[in-house]
Amino acid sequence: MNFRDKIAIIEGFPKEGISFKDITPLIGDGEAFKTLIDEMAAKLRGQGVDYIAGPEARGFIFGVPLAYALGVGFIPIRKKGKLPQETVTITYDLEYGQDTLEVHKNAFPKGARVALVDDLLATGGTISACAKLIELAGGEVVSVDFIIELTELHGRDKLDGYKVESLITYDL
C-alpha cells in the first residue's frame, strides 16, 4: 500500500511557509492504518523488543496498536507533571526555550529493549530527548521508528548511534 497517498499536504499550515503533513486521513482509513501497523510490527519482530514507547500525543496513536500487535507493553512519554508516580525527567532545548519530558521511574526493568515510535521526524530534538530519557530510566533503545521523515531537516543527525526507520520520506 502506498501510505503517501493517505497523507494530506496542507500548505501554509500552521503558518505561511510550512507544508504540513496531515496523518488524519491515514489513521482514519481502517485498512491503511491496520496495514501500516502490521508493516511496522513486521520490521520490529525478531529484534527482541520488550516495550514500545512513544511521546504524547501522536506517538501514542501509533505506539499503542504497535505494542498490541507485538504483544508487548506500551510506555507513555509525557510532558512534565502528567504522570502520577515517581518519574525520570529530561529537559531539552527547543528553538525558542526548553521543554521537559517524563517517564515513570518503574516503567520497565533495567536493560529492557525499547522501540521508540512517533509520527514524524523533523529536527530530531524531541525524539532525541525521548531516547535519552529511556536510557536514563535504564532501558536500551533498539529502534527509533517514524511514519514520516522530513529529510532536509536532518533529524537523523541527532539520532546518531540509533537504528532509525521511516516509512515515508519527504524533501521540504
Side-chain angles (χ1 to χ4, degrees), residues 4 21 120-123 148-157 166 168-172:
R4 186 182 294 268
K21 311 308 185 256
L120 177 79
L121 174 58
T123 62
I148 298 169
E149 179 177 354
L150 305 178
T151 57
E152 289 184 19
L153 295 178
H154 305 287
R156 278 182 186 254
D157 295 349
S166 301
I168 305 165
T169 58
Y170 289 96
D171 295 329
L172 296 177

mmCIF file of all heavy atoms in Angstrom, residues 4 21 120-123 148-157 166 168-172:
data_model
loop_
_atom_site.group_PDB
_atom_site.id
_atom_site.type_symbol
_atom_site.label_atom_id
_atom_site.label_comp_id
_atom_site.label_asym_id
_atom_site.label_seq_id
_atom_site.Cartn_x
_atom_site.Cartn_y
_atom_site.Cartn_z
ATOM 1 N N ARG A 4 1.821 7.166 1.314
ATOM 2 C CA ARG A 4 1.958 8.574 0.918
ATOM 3 C C ARG A 4 0.637 9.114 0.374
ATOM 4 O O ARG A 4 0.296 10.276 0.592
ATOM 5 C CB ARG A 4 3.066 8.705 -0.128
ATOM 6 C CG ARG A 4 3.394 10.126 -0.504
ATOM 7 C CD ARG A 4 4.475 10.165 -1.586
ATOM 8 N NE ARG A 4 5.737 9.670 -1.113
ATOM 9 C CZ ARG A 4 6.701 10.421 -0.589
ATOM 10 N NH1 ARG A 4 6.518 11.726 -0.485
ATOM 11 N NH2 ARG A 4 7.822 9.886 -0.190
ATOM 12 N N LYS A 21 2.220 17.953 6.956
ATOM 13 C CA LYS A 21 1.886 16.586 6.572
ATOM 14 C C LYS A 21 0.834 16.072 7.555
ATOM 15 O O LYS A 21 1.124 15.773 8.702
ATOM 16 C CB LYS A 21 3.121 15.684 6.598
ATOM 17 C CG LYS A 21 4.363 16.219 5.887
ATOM 18 C CD LYS A 21 4.122 16.666 4.474
ATOM 19 C CE LYS A 21 5.389 17.080 3.773
ATOM 20 N NZ LYS A 21 5.606 18.490 3.618
ATOM 21 N N LEU A 120 6.449 11.628 13.259
ATOM 22 C CA LEU A 120 7.225 12.467 12.350
ATOM 23 C C LEU A 120 8.618 12.758 12.901
ATOM 24 O O LEU A 120 8.756 13.144 14.055
ATOM 25 C CB LEU A 120 6.484 13.792 12.152
ATOM 26 C CG LEU A 120 7.160 14.839 11.284
ATOM 27 C CD1 LEU A 120 6.960 14.520 9.813
ATOM 28 C CD2 LEU A 120 6.619 16.222 11.600
ATOM 29 N N LEU A 121 9.619 12.594 12.054
ATOM 30 C CA LEU A 121 10.974 13.025 12.371
ATOM 31 C C LEU A 121 11.243 14.306 11.601
ATOM 32 O O LEU A 121 11.275 14.302 10.374
ATOM 33 C CB LEU A 121 12.005 11.957 11.993
ATOM 34 C CG LEU A 121 13.479 12.356 12.152
ATOM 35 C CD1 LEU A 121 13.795 12.762 13.588
ATOM 36 C CD2 LEU A 121 14.382 11.223 11.695
ATOM 37 N N ALA A 122 11.401 15.402 12.341
ATOM 38 C CA ALA A 122 11.731 16.698 11.732
ATOM 39 C C ALA A 122 13.151 17.053 12.144
ATOM 40 O O ALA A 122 14.108 16.513 11.597
ATOM 41 C CB ALA A 122 10.711 17.755 12.153
ATOM 42 N N THR A 123 13.317 17.891 13.141
ATOM 43 C CA THR A 123 14.663 18.295 13.561
ATOM 44 C C THR A 123 15.316 17.291 14.511
ATOM 45 O O THR A 123 16.519 17.341 14.721
ATOM 46 C CB THR A 123 14.641 19.674 14.250
ATOM 47 O OG1 THR A 123 13.835 19.581 15.428
ATOM 48 C CG2 THR A 123 14.103 20.743 13.310
ATOM 49 N N ILE A 148 6.700 9.316 9.104
ATOM 50 C CA ILE A 148 7.176 10.318 8.144
ATOM 51 C C ILE A 148 8.518 10.878 8.611
ATOM 52 O O ILE A 148 8.718 11.119 9.799
ATOM 53 C CB ILE A 148 6.162 11.484 8.047
ATOM 54 C CG1 ILE A 148 4.807 10.987 7.538
ATOM 55 C CG2 ILE A 148 6.698 12.609 7.148
ATOM 56 C CD1 ILE A 148 3.695 12.013 7.669
ATOM 57 N N GLU A 149 9.403 11.113 7.650
ATOM 58 C CA GLU A 149 10.665 11.805 7.924
ATOM 59 C C GLU A 149 10.822 12.964 6.949
ATOM 60 O O GLU A 149 10.679 12.777 5.731
ATOM 61 C CB GLU A 149 11.844 10.847 7.771
ATOM 62 C CG GLU A 149 13.183 11.502 8.022
ATOM 63 C CD GLU A 149 14.352 10.534 7.950
ATOM 64 O OE1 GLU A 149 14.142 9.312 7.816
ATOM 65 O OE2 GLU A 149 15.495 11.016 8.023
ATOM 66 N N LEU A 150 11.102 14.134 7.469
ATOM 67 C CA LEU A 150 11.398 15.316 6.655
ATOM 68 C C LEU A 150 12.927 15.379 6.519
ATOM 69 O O LEU A 150 13.613 15.912 7.386
ATOM 70 C CB LEU A 150 10.837 16.579 7.303
ATOM 71 C CG LEU A 150 9.335 16.555 7.617
ATOM 72 C CD1 LEU A 150 8.915 17.841 8.309
ATOM 73 C CD2 LEU A 150 8.514 16.301 6.367
ATOM 74 N N THR A 151 13.445 14.811 5.443
ATOM 75 C CA THR A 151 14.887 14.558 5.325
ATOM 76 C C THR A 151 15.734 15.828 5.337
ATOM 77 O O THR A 151 16.849 15.814 5.866
ATOM 78 C CB THR A 151 15.194 13.746 4.059
ATOM 79 O OG1 THR A 151 14.691 14.441 2.916
ATOM 80 C CG2 THR A 151 14.573 12.364 4.142
ATOM 81 N N GLU A 152 15.241 16.909 4.774
ATOM 82 C CA GLU A 152 16.044 18.132 4.672
ATOM 83 C C GLU A 152 16.271 18.825 6.015
ATOM 84 O O GLU A 152 17.103 19.721 6.110
ATOM 85 C CB GLU A 152 15.418 19.108 3.669
ATOM 86 C CG GLU A 152 15.571 18.620 2.243
ATOM 87 C CD GLU A 152 15.054 19.607 1.216
ATOM 88 O OE1 GLU A 152 14.896 20.796 1.544
ATOM 89 O OE2 GLU A 152 14.808 19.182 0.080
ATOM 90 N N LEU A 153 15.564 18.384 7.062
ATOM 91 C CA LEU A 153 15.766 18.963 8.385
ATOM 92 C C LEU A 153 16.847 18.209 9.178
ATOM 93 O O LEU A 153 17.212 18.617 10.281
ATOM 94 C CB LEU A 153 14.455 19.005 9.165
ATOM 95 C CG LEU A 153 13.385 19.923 8.558
ATOM 96 C CD1 LEU A 153 12.104 19.862 9.379
ATOM 97 C CD2 LEU A 153 13.883 21.356 8.444
ATOM 98 N N HIS A 154 17.328 17.101 8.641
ATOM 99 C CA HIS A 154 18.466 16.347 9.184
ATOM 100 C C HIS A 154 18.270 15.889 10.630
ATOM 101 O O HIS A 154 19.211 15.891 11.423
ATOM 102 C CB HIS A 154 19.758 17.167 9.061
ATOM 103 C CG HIS A 154 20.036 17.613 7.657
ATOM 104 N ND1 HIS A 154 20.472 16.744 6.684
ATOM 105 C CD2 HIS A 154 19.906 18.825 7.062
ATOM 106 C CE1 HIS A 154 20.615 17.393 5.540
ATOM 107 N NE2 HIS A 154 20.259 18.660 5.750
ATOM 108 N N GLY A 155 17.051 15.485 10.957
ATOM 109 C CA GLY A 155 16.778 14.985 12.305
ATOM 110 C C GLY A 155 17.569 13.740 12.656
ATOM 111 O O GLY A 155 17.885 13.517 13.828
ATOM 112 N N ARG A 156 17.919 12.951 11.647
ATOM 113 C CA ARG A 156 18.726 11.750 11.895
ATOM 114 C C ARG A 156 20.060 12.082 12.539
ATOM 115 O O ARG A 156 20.622 11.261 13.266
ATOM 116 C CB ARG A 156 18.991 10.998 10.590
ATOM 117 C CG ARG A 156 17.874 10.128 10.162
ATOM 118 C CD ARG A 156 18.218 9.371 8.879
ATOM 119 N NE ARG A 156 17.062 8.657 8.426
ATOM 120 C CZ ARG A 156 16.908 7.347 8.534
ATOM 121 N NH1 ARG A 156 17.870 6.615 9.061
ATOM 122 N NH2 ARG A 156 15.810 6.771 8.098
ATOM 123 N N ASP A 157 20.566 13.267 12.257
ATOM 124 C CA ASP A 157 21.861 13.655 12.822
ATOM 125 C C ASP A 157 21.828 13.643 14.351
ATOM 126 O O ASP A 157 22.824 13.335 14.987
ATOM 127 C CB ASP A 157 22.279 15.045 12.331
ATOM 128 C CG ASP A 157 22.533 15.080 10.831
ATOM 129 O OD1 ASP A 157 22.599 14.000 10.191
ATOM 130 O OD2 ASP A 157 22.663 16.197 10.285
ATOM 131 N N SER A 166 12.028 4.969 8.816
ATOM 132 C CA SER A 166 10.906 5.817 8.426
ATOM 133 C C SER A 166 10.192 5.160 7.253
ATOM 134 O O SER A 166 10.852 4.683 6.330
ATOM 135 C CB SER A 166 11.392 7.201 8.000
ATOM 136 O OG SER A 166 12.090 7.823 9.046
ATOM 137 N N ILE A 168 7.863 6.772 5.254
ATOM 138 C CA ILE A 168 7.671 7.764 4.183
ATOM 139 C C ILE A 168 8.673 8.886 4.389
ATOM 140 O O ILE A 168 8.841 9.365 5.509
ATOM 141 C CB ILE A 168 6.246 8.364 4.229
ATOM 142 C CG1 ILE A 168 5.179 7.268 4.187
ATOM 143 C CG2 ILE A 168 6.032 9.362 3.099
ATOM 144 C CD1 ILE A 168 3.793 7.761 4.579
ATOM 145 N N THR A 169 9.338 9.300 3.331
ATOM 146 C CA THR A 169 10.250 10.442 3.437
ATOM 147 C C THR A 169 9.790 11.544 2.490
ATOM 148 O O THR A 169 9.244 11.281 1.420
ATOM 149 C CB THR A 169 11.701 10.062 3.100
ATOM 150 O OG1 THR A 169 11.760 9.534 1.779
ATOM 151 C CG2 THR A 169 12.250 9.039 4.099
ATOM 152 N N TYR A 170 9.999 12.774 2.947
ATOM 153 C CA TYR A 170 9.698 13.963 2.154
ATOM 154 C C TYR A 170 10.911 14.871 2.179
ATOM 155 O O TYR A 170 11.537 15.042 3.215
ATOM 156 C CB TYR A 170 8.526 14.755 2.739
ATOM 157 C CG TYR A 170 7.174 14.123 2.613
ATOM 158 C CD1 TYR A 170 6.644 13.375 3.661
ATOM 159 C CD2 TYR A 170 6.406 14.282 1.458
ATOM 160 C CE1 TYR A 170 5.388 12.798 3.566
ATOM 161 C CE2 TYR A 170 5.150 13.719 1.363
ATOM 162 C CZ TYR A 170 4.652 12.970 2.418
ATOM 163 O OH TYR A 170 3.403 12.421 2.316
ATOM 164 N N ASP A 171 11.223 15.471 1.036
ATOM 165 C CA ASP A 171 12.115 16.613 0.999
ATOM 166 C C ASP A 171 11.211 17.819 1.196
ATOM 167 O O ASP A 171 10.041 17.789 0.837
ATOM 168 C CB ASP A 171 12.818 16.719 -0.356
ATOM 169 C CG ASP A 171 13.755 15.551 -0.614
ATOM 170 O OD1 ASP A 171 14.316 15.014 0.354
ATOM 171 O OD2 ASP A 171 13.896 15.146 -1.781
ATOM 172 N N LEU A 172 11.723 18.861 1.793
ATOM 173 C CA LEU A 172 10.876 20.034 2.011
ATOM 174 C C LEU A 172 10.646 20.699 0.706
ATOM 175 O O LEU A 172 9.872 20.942 0.050
ATOM 176 C CB LEU A 172 11.539 21.014 2.968
ATOM 177 C CG LEU A 172 11.750 20.475 4.377
ATOM 178 C CD1 LEU A 172 12.472 21.507 5.227
ATOM 179 C CD2 LEU A 172 10.432 20.146 5.023
#
